[in-house]
């Protein structure tokens, strides 16, 4: 019998549902939870932010997570292959999502490298008494926006470690590599971070921080930007509409309770986010208390500044600071690392399937290219500004375009929403009602389009962070241009017969119930 070459025939699976859930939570819980959420919540109405946040979770987060799961689980491939099987022409969307993963992975890795350095610096408060100067000058040797080829040794060395580990884990595969790391890493993270939160809550002034975070500013609810911030946070944080959850679901066994797992993942991610908010703001409350100022007088509460300047400053003032610092930066590194794994595997599985490569070759090839870009653009003296700009454009424009396209294609063009709903309901215990269809087909695309228009308008009119226009052109809009070129190139390259012609989606939605519930023979496909 002729050998049928197909990527799905030998498709790996998670060893258990638990393995899948751990990996999915590992992807979701990342830098977005620890350093992005607390700052965004604080700036966007404090306690009142929880309302748009929860609405975004229910009206976009969970529904789109289910959509990702259903596509991956039914069509059993990375984003490009799954979309291709769903509707041939939508393969391009899969490559667009893959391009976003690539872009995010190359700078995300760098933040993990910083965290590793700071883990080390925690022992002995090596940042001294001016952490701001230490971070930008002594550590990063940061230069003005521009292009520099001067590598920063302190960043480059840990970054080598990060990429080598990523390539090795990816080459080990789904069960032996990714699942193992998450099954070990996640409990470690929860333990370490919980210890940090408990310590933070017992610091003097902690309650002032919590009041600052949770006291609602109801006026914020009428501000469109607050709603936009909530939706962006949900997308980034849950890793949805990036194609990753499509790939992860494709490694689930065919009989697997998808929606219940999705609810667990969504709940776990948001809980961790709120936990991080509590930990970070208690710590900041202590900082205000130590300085004898009110909370409103603190600044530097978002992004890199929060983690790498404000936090070190607080840690220095704390008794037992080395442990606290190590817990914080260690948590950042672990949470970031399990998310980075998912970012890179998303790219590597897509490439593996399209070119019929082994997982090892795909891991090494994708890992080396991504590492090279990561070093060249972000481990240099201009890395900080580049990272900030690329992040802004990939996350606020790229991902929103991806989500809109996905909803519109599934509901209005390929018209697979109802089959996908039936698929989920056949394999899962939590049934998705008909409400899902208008949410995905009408509400989400309309809201996301409003959000996109507002953001693009804002970036065009106001630029970003006062960076020079040429710089925004090259690194900001250039990022978008890169994703488009990447999409075109990978879509246009032929499959060369590598997509399994015998692929059959299962369960068969139209056959009598007994048949559709029997898995096809020999298949964990
Ligand atoms: N969800 C991750 C975080 O919160 C980031 C991420 C985005 C990971 C997209 C994978 C895909 O940091």
């Amino acid at each position: 019998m002729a050998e049928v070459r197909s990527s799905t025939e030998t498709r790996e699976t998670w060893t258990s549902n638990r393995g899948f859930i751990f990996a999915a939570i590992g992807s979701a819980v990342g830098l977005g939870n620890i350093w992005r959420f607390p700052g965004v919540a604080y700036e966007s109405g404090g306690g009142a932010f929880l309302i748009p946040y929860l609405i975004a979770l229910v009206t976009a987060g969970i529904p789109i997570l289910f959509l990702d799961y259903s596509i991956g689980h039914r069509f059993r491939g990375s984003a490009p292959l799954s979309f291709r099987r769903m509707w041939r022409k939508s393969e391009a969307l899969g490559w667009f999502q893959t391009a976003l993963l690539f872009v995010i992975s190359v700078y995300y890795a760098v933040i993990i490298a910083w965290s590793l350095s700071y883990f080390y610096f925690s022992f002995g408060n090596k940042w001294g008494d001016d952490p701001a100067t230490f971070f930008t000058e002594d550590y990063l040797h940061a230069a003005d926006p521009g292009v520099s080829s001067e590598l920063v040794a302190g960043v480059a060395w840990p970054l080598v470690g990060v990429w080598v580990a990523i390539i090795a884990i990816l080459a080990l595969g789904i069960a032996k590599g990714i699942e193992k790391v998450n099954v070990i890493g996640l409990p470690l993270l929860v333990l370490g971070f919980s210890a940090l939160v408990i310590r933070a809550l017992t610091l003097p002034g902690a309650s002032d921080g919590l009041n600052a975070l949770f006291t609602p500013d109801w006026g914020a609810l009428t501000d469109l930007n607050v709603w936009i911030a909530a939706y962006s946070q949900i997308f980034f944080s849950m890793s949805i509409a990036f194609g990753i959850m499509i790939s992860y679901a494709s490694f689930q066994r065919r009989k697997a309770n998808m929606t219940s797992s999705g609810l667990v993942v969504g709940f776990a991610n948001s809980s961790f986010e709120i936990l991080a908010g509590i930990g970070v703001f208690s710590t900041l409350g202590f900082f205000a208390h130590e300085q004898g100022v009110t909370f409103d007088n603190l600044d530097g509460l978002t992004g890199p500044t929060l983690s790498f300047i404000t936090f070190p400053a607080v840690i220095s003032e704390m008794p037992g600071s080395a442990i606290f610092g190590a817990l914080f930066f260690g948590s950042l590194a672990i949470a970031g690392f399990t998310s980075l794994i998912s970012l890179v595997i998303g790219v590597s599985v897509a490439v593996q399937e399209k070119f019929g490569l082994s997982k090892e070759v795909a891991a090494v090839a994708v890992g080396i290219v991504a590492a090279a870009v990561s070093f060249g653009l972000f481990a240099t003296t201009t890395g900080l500004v580049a990272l900030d700009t690329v992040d802004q454009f990939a996350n606020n424009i790229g991902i929103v375009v991806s989500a809109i396209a996905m909803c519109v294609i599934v509901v209005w063009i390929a018209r697979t929403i109802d089959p996908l709903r039936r698929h989920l309901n056949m394999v899962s215990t939590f049934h998705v009602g008909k409400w899902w269809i208008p949410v995905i087909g009408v509400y989400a695309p309309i809201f996301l389009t409003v959000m996109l228009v507002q953001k693009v308008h804002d970036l065009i009119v106001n630029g970003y962070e006062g960076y020079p226009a040429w710089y925004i052109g090259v690194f900001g809009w250039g990022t978008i241009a890169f994703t488009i070129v990447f999409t075109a190139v990978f879509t246009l390259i032929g499959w060369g017969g590598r997509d399994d012609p015998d692929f059959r989606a299962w369960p068969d939605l139209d056959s009598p119930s007994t048949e559709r519930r029997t898995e096809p023979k020999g298949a964990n496909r």
Side-chain angles (χ1 to χ4, degrees):
M1 226 171 60
E3 198 194 346
V4 184
R5 279 190 67 195
S6 95
S7 51
T8 50
E9 205 172 51
T10 50
R11 192 155 203 87
E12 273 196 275
T13 52
W14 308 104
T15 60
S16 63
N17 204 36
R18 186 195 67 163
F20 167 69
I21 291 182
F22 272 52
I25 298 177
S27 169
V29 172
L31 304 174
N33 301 58
I34 301 182
W35 84 2
R36 203 168 181 271
F37 175 80
V40 171
Y42 177 65
E43 282 187 341
S44 314
F49 181 73
L50 290 180
I51 295 172
Y53 175 83
L54 290 175
I55 293 180
L57 174 67
V58 175
T59 58
I62 298 284
I64 294 181
L65 183 68
F66 283 175
L67 183 62
D68 273 349
Y69 278 5
S70 63
I71 294 171
H73 194 237
R74 183 155 185 80
F75 298 109
R76 312 203 68 65
S78 60
L81 180 59
S82 289
F83 279 122
R84 178 185 160 87
R85 286 175 174 171
M86 183 182 84
W87 175 51
R88 201 162 267 254
K89 289 195 177 134
S90 60
E91 180 186 337
L93 174 58
W95 288 111
F96 182 65
Q97 297 186 335
T98 309
L100 289 174
L101 292 179
F102 180 82
V103 166
I104 296 176
S105 70
V106 293
Y107 69 80
Y108 206 88
V110 177
I111 306 174
I112 299 170
W114 297 349
S115 308
L116 290 172
S117 300
Y118 270 70
F119 177 78
Y120 167 71
F121 296 154
S122 301
F123 299 96
N125 293 339
K126 297 212 172 41
W127 42 75
D129 23 271
D130 185 0
T133 314
F134 179 85
F135 180 59
T136 51
E137 291 177 20
D138 303 339
Y139 178 57
L140 292 181
H141 302 285
D144 288 339
V147 184
S148 140
S149 56
E150 200 186 320
L151 273 186
V152 180
V155 179
W157 284 115
L159 192 58
V160 172
V162 169
W163 281 110
V164 169
I166 287 286
I167 293 174
I169 292 165
L170 259 50
L172 281 172
I174 297 303
K176 290 206 199 97
I178 298 166
E179 183 173 330
K180 276 242 163 69
V181 173
N182 279 291
V183 166
I184 299 171
L186 201 61
L188 209 63
L189 172 67
V190 171
L191 274 181
F193 203 76
S194 306
L196 177 135
V197 173
I198 292 171
R199 173 72 184 114
L201 282 171
T202 56
L203 290 166
S207 56
D208 298 341
L210 293 180
N211 283 339
L213 177 62
F214 290 117
T215 304
D217 165 12
W218 297 110
L221 291 183
T222 54
D223 180 353
L224 181 62
N225 287 318
V226 166
W227 288 85
I228 293 181
Y231 277 81
S232 321
Q233 176 62 24
I234 284 290
F235 276 89
F236 186 73
S237 178
M238 294 179 74
S239 320
I240 50 175
F242 284 96
I244 281 185
M245 288 303 134
I246 294 182
S247 296
Y248 270 25
S250 78
F251 296 118
Q252 264 286 43
R253 290 164 197 275
R254 284 196 153 176
K255 271 187 186 162
N257 192 340
M258 299 307 290
T259 52
S260 306
S261 307
L263 294 177
V264 172
V265 172
F267 181 74
N269 180 57
S270 291
S271 308
F272 198 94
E273 211 137 67
I274 298 194
L275 188 71
I278 294 176
V280 167
F281 273 77
S282 307
T283 313
L284 295 172
F286 163 74
F287 192 40
H289 177 268
E290 285 302 283
Q291 296 188 322
V293 298
T294 59
F295 202 91
D296 313 339
N297 291 319
L298 291 181
D299 47 25
L301 303 187
T302 52
T305 315
L306 172 67
S307 298
F308 295 100
I309 297 178
T310 312
F311 248 72
V314 193
I315 292 169
S316 299
E317 296 192 13
M318 215 177 264
S321 59
I323 297 182
F324 196 87
L327 284 176
F328 180 74
F329 291 110
S331 299
L332 214 49
I334 297 177
F337 191 74
T338 52
S339 298
L340 180 64
I341 291 180
S342 72
L343 286 159
V344 189
I345 187 98
V347 183
S348 121
V349 177
V351 168
Q352 178 187 336
E353 289 170 348
K354 179 112 192 188
F355 298 98
L357 306 174
S358 71
K359 64 176 186 298
E360 293 83 3
V361 171
V364 172
V366 168
I368 288 181
V369 174
V373 177
S374 188
F375 278 97
L377 288 182
F378 303 105
T380 62
T381 51
T382 44
L384 176 61
V385 186
L387 186 154
D388 188 29
T389 311
V390 172
D391 174 67
Q392 175 71 10
F393 280 74
N395 278 313
N396 286 300
I397 300 183
I399 192 57
V400 184
V401 170
S402 157
I404 297 172
M406 188 161 78
C407 293
V408 169
I409 288 175
V410 169
V411 178
W412 300 106
I413 304 178
R415 296 181 179 269
T416 39
I417 188 82
D418 197 54
L420 289 174
R421 187 176 79 90
R422 281 189 284 147
H423 174 97
L424 284 178
N425 289 346
M426 277 185 191
V427 296
S428 314
T429 48
F430 173 84
H431 283 189
V432 181
K434 284 231 157 59
W435 56 266
W436 193 51
I437 300 177
V439 168
I440 297 287
V442 183
Y443 174 80
I446 291 179
F447 186 86
L448 294 172
T449 304
V450 171
M451 182 168 152
L452 182 68
V453 169
Q454 158 87 4
K455 193 70 208 181
V456 170
H457 176 258
D458 181 44
L459 285 170
I460 291 175
V461 175
N462 302 322
Y464 180 60
E465 294 279 329
Y467 297 151
W470 73 266
Y471 190 81
I472 296 291
V474 174
F475 281 86
W477 299 109
T479 298
I480 303 297
F482 168 81
T483 57
I484 294 171
V485 172
F486 182 106
T487 304
V489 169
F490 280 92
T491 309
L492 292 177
I493 296 174
W495 277 85
R498 279 178 295 261
D499 178 11
D500 180 0
D502 298 329
F503 173 78
R504 277 190 39 218
W506 180 91
D508 180 348
L509 302 172
D510 301 315
S511 75
S513 61
T514 44
E515 224 172 283
R516 75 183 176 215
R517 283 178 198 283
T518 326
E519 282 195 65
K521 272 238 179 67
N524 222 335
R525 330 213 267 158

